[in-house]
Amino acid sequence: MRQGGATPGGMTLAEIETYYDAVARPIATTEEVGPFTLFLAEPGTGWQFYARPRLGVEHDFTADDVRRVLDRQAQLGVPRAVEWVDEVTPSLVPAVREAVTGPRELERCPLLVLPQGADLSVPSRRTTPTGRSWAAARPLPATVPPS
């Protein structure tokens, strides 16, 4: 699917890319690192962000591009993370595979899209508890002994 192609949910990949670029900006600062935008969470955010291909930049990514942004993240003490949509930035897949060396450094997460017309309603909460409880086989201590 090309960047202008529509997803099953009706959004174009260009719209999704624009969202990914915009969503972190209100609570992050950014740095341009080569062809990437590195999003850095503001203090108190509670989580970290990622580097993404800079919006609107056409680039054939290399392993050196990837290493440069991963090195910058390590220098800043933030998690090494790069996120992208394969169909929009296909040259990034082989560049990342070449740049990362550890077996757990590359995690593939597919873009999930709900079909158009999917039911997004929230189910009503039950008013009667449905869980079970069991008594402990022996009484638990009132306090935790010091270790």
Side-chain angles (χ1 to χ4, degrees):
M1 185 180 320
R2 292 187 351 257
Q3 184 168 350
T7 65
M11 290 186 74
T12 66
L13 291 176
E15 290 170 321
I16 292 170
E17 282 290 303
T18 300
Y19 170 78
Y20 285 158
D21 184 78
V23 70
R25 289 185 183 269
I27 53 176
T29 58
T30 61
E31 281 187 22
E32 303 303 327
V33 181
F36 290 98
T37 299
L38 174 55
F39 294 89
L40 301 165
E42 292 179 356
T45 300
W47 61 85
Q48 296 296 320
F49 291 112
Y50 40 76
R52 294 194 41 76
R54 191 170 322 130
L55 188 63
V57 171
E58 303 254 342
H59 183 76
D60 286 327
F61 286 83
T62 67
D64 286 339
D65 294 328
V66 175
R67 282 189 282 269
R68 192 175 311 118
V69 76
L70 294 176
D71 289 347
R72 180 63 179 144
Q73 289 171 319
Q75 181 183 46
L76 293 168
V78 298
R80 293 172 12 131
V82 179
E83 295 187 5
W84 72 96
V85 176
D86 289 351
E87 293 85 352
V88 176
T89 318
S91 68
L92 199 44
V93 176
V96 169
R97 282 191 178 133
E98 183 180 335
V100 299
T101 55
R104 295 192 175 151
E105 286 192 291
L106 177 60
E107 181 179 3
R108 300 295 304 267
C109 303
L111 177 63
L112 302 176
V113 179
L114 289 173
Q116 199 160 8
D119 180 14
L120 301 178
S121 61
V122 177
S124 62
R125 293 184 178 259
R126 296 179 72 126
T127 56
T128 307
T130 58
R132 296 181 184 177
S133 63
W134 287 270
R138 60 189 162 108
L140 298 174
T143 60
V144 177
S147 46

